[in-house]
Amino acid sequence: MKYAVIDISSSSISMIVAAREGEKTEVVFKERASLSLVHYLEEEGLSARGKEKLIEMLVRFKETAAELGVERCYLIATAALRHVKNFGEIAASVFEGTGLTVNLIDGATEAYCDYVANLYYKTCERPVLIDLGGKSIEICDLAKSDKQDMMCFSFGLLDLYRKFVSNIYPDEKEAKEIKRYVREKFDRAGLPGEGVFSTAVMVGASNAAIYDIYAEFSDESETNGVRTIRRKKFKKLVRHLLTGEDRSRLVLNNAPEKLYLIGSAAIVLKYLFKRFGVEHIVVSERGVKEGYLQLVLSGEESGAYYDFVRGSADGEARKLPEKTAARKTEKSAKRGRPKKKAEAVPVPADGKSAKRGRPKKKAEAAPAPADGKSVKRGRPKMKGTSGANTDTAASSDVGTVQETPESQTKTE
């Protein structure tokens, strides 16, 4: 049986297709396409044009999945849509245009998916996992196993770029400001210092792009299928990205879609490598999508999927924990902000609004239409969980995530 997982991130749409035989699951296809949803964000959320672009891309990915013989397709969204005000409208539009139901993943689960996908690296010497996203950063101690031990910071490379960088790349002054900012965030969250970790496992699209740039800059390649980075040469690469004359050529040759994020990513990684005092750096090919599929197939997670055999959506959409919504409502009341009732608007995983000054809204579950029909005007109808065809039982959030809320972002 073949499964697909499509991930909506802040700078791209990506998909994996995996074949499962017995207890063995193997990824047989990967695809990624650039789509920076952040460019379509307005005061009220994702613009109409942004929704159109998203749906166009998802239709293309769904068609590819069908051509590859996929039977079940899961659509997930992480930090890119966790803080968008009109998520309910987006989810309804996506379902109407594609038949796919969006499973919204909270910060704790996002970090846990990274962890599960990279358990192979637990055999390395004191490993720590690092995933730099556009709107969040995940750091996981691979020696631990509980979801509550995973760290998810609710700011990412896009936030750092908007807050500190005035041009394409940070200059030396801006680099110091970025370093100071992330150090304060990590210190406040109790992130360990030197002596705890020895091996850094880099995960995610931004880290993969960093490796491709590093490989050309250092004229190094994979060794026995393992992608590694030498810390001394990486420090030289960071210096080159800040001051080198041909840095744009280097980035455009290897990761054009990450042009505005590479500088911030390199600065954060250099700081983390020094903070941890790591001796070994490896780059993983597995991330959130692989971890999510593994959790679904094992029964630890559940979510809505598109059934290509039946030609309809099944299951109940993954949603943010209700306790998060309760915390948000309570804080909003204390601050005296007006509370508005909204249709299917998710609550950020850290219980706080994405930006200052916005009235907080009471969260409801993201819609999960299940009859495969187009969405009518008004709220899409919810299908009850009774008799729903899901891969697993209802999911549970174990523990709490350590998150650091983002302050005001810099306007481009």
Side-chain angles (χ1 to χ4, degrees), residues 40 46 67 104 123 139 165-166 195 208-209 259 264 270 282 329 356 374 403:
Y40 299 97
L46 191 65
E67 292 171 359
L104 190 62
T123 57
I139 300 178
V165 184
S166 57
L259 180 64
S264 297
K270 179 185 176 183
V282 297
T329 302
R356 291 181 180 177
S374 61
E403 294 196 85

Side-chain angles (χ1 to χ4, degrees), residues 2-214:
K2 285 185 177 180
Y3 298 84
V5 178
I6 302 174
D7 180 20
I8 303 172
S9 69
S10 56
S11 61
S12 65
I13 308 295
S14 58
M15 177 176 73
I16 62 167
V17 173
R20 183 174 177 83
E21 293 184 9
E23 296 299 317
K24 183 179 180 181
T25 305
E26 180 181 2
V27 175
V28 296
F29 178 83
K30 290 184 177 184
E31 185 173 7
R32 180 180 298 275
S34 177
L35 177 62
S36 295
L37 292 178
V38 68
H39 296 316
Y40 299 97
L41 289 179
E42 299 174 345
E43 184 176 353
E44 294 304 315
L46 191 65
S47 68
R49 180 55 179 161
K51 286 185 283 188
E52 289 177 8
K53 296 286 288 185
L54 175 61
I55 291 170
E56 288 174 8
M57 193 75 74
L58 291 175
V59 167
R60 173 186 140 191
F61 274 71
K62 182 183 174 184
E63 290 174 348
T64 300
E67 292 171 359
L68 293 172
V70 169
E71 295 181 50
R72 292 184 181 180
C73 178
Y74 293 86
L75 174 62
I76 63 174
T78 51
L81 295 183
R82 276 204 294 269
H83 305 288
V84 176
K85 293 180 66 175
N86 63 338
F87 173 77
E89 296 176 12
I90 299 169
S93 297
V94 167
F95 182 81
E96 182 176 9
T98 69
L100 298 170
T101 304
V102 183
N103 294 285
L104 190 62
I105 306 299
D106 57 75
T109 304
E110 182 178 359
Y112 191 57
C113 286
D114 271 336
Y115 165 82
V116 169
N118 290 281
L119 287 176
Y120 166 82
Y121 294 99
K122 288 190 74 169
T123 57
C124 294
E125 182 181 358
R126 292 177 292 155
V128 58
L129 181 150
I130 302 170
D131 185 353
L132 305 182
K135 297 295 292 182
S136 68
I137 294 176
E138 287 72 48
I139 300 178
C140 306
D141 183 348
L142 289 177
K144 299 180 179 180
S145 58
D146 291 335
K147 185 184 288 190
Q148 64 184 4
D149 294 323
M150 313 301 153
M151 285 185 167
C152 177
F153 297 86
S154 56
F155 70 94
L157 301 178
L158 281 169
D159 300 301
L160 294 177
Y161 174 79
R162 286 183 156 189
K163 190 176 184 67
F164 298 107
V165 184
S166 57
N167 208 321
I168 296 177
Y169 304 98
D171 57 29
E172 294 190 65
K173 180 182 178 181
E174 292 167 341
K176 290 180 180 178
E177 292 175 344
I178 291 174
K179 178 182 175 182
R180 186 183 304 113
Y181 179 83
V182 298
R183 181 178 64 240
E184 291 175 356
K185 293 287 187 180
F186 295 150
D187 285 347
R188 193 178 305 159
L191 190 67
E194 190 170 355
V196 177
F197 304 117
S198 180
T199 304
V201 182
M202 296 169 58
V203 175
S206 295
N207 281 338
I210 284 285
Y211 174 78
D212 291 338
I213 294 169
Y214 168 85

Side-chain angles (χ1 to χ4, degrees), residues 232-249:
K232 286 186 177 180
K233 282 199 172 183
F234 182 76
K235 290 173 64 177
K236 293 180 180 179
L237 171 62
V238 177
R239 170 60 58 184
H240 183 76
L241 290 173
L242 293 179
T243 61
E245 294 182 357
D246 65 338
R247 54 187 177 177
S248 290
R249 178 197 60 78

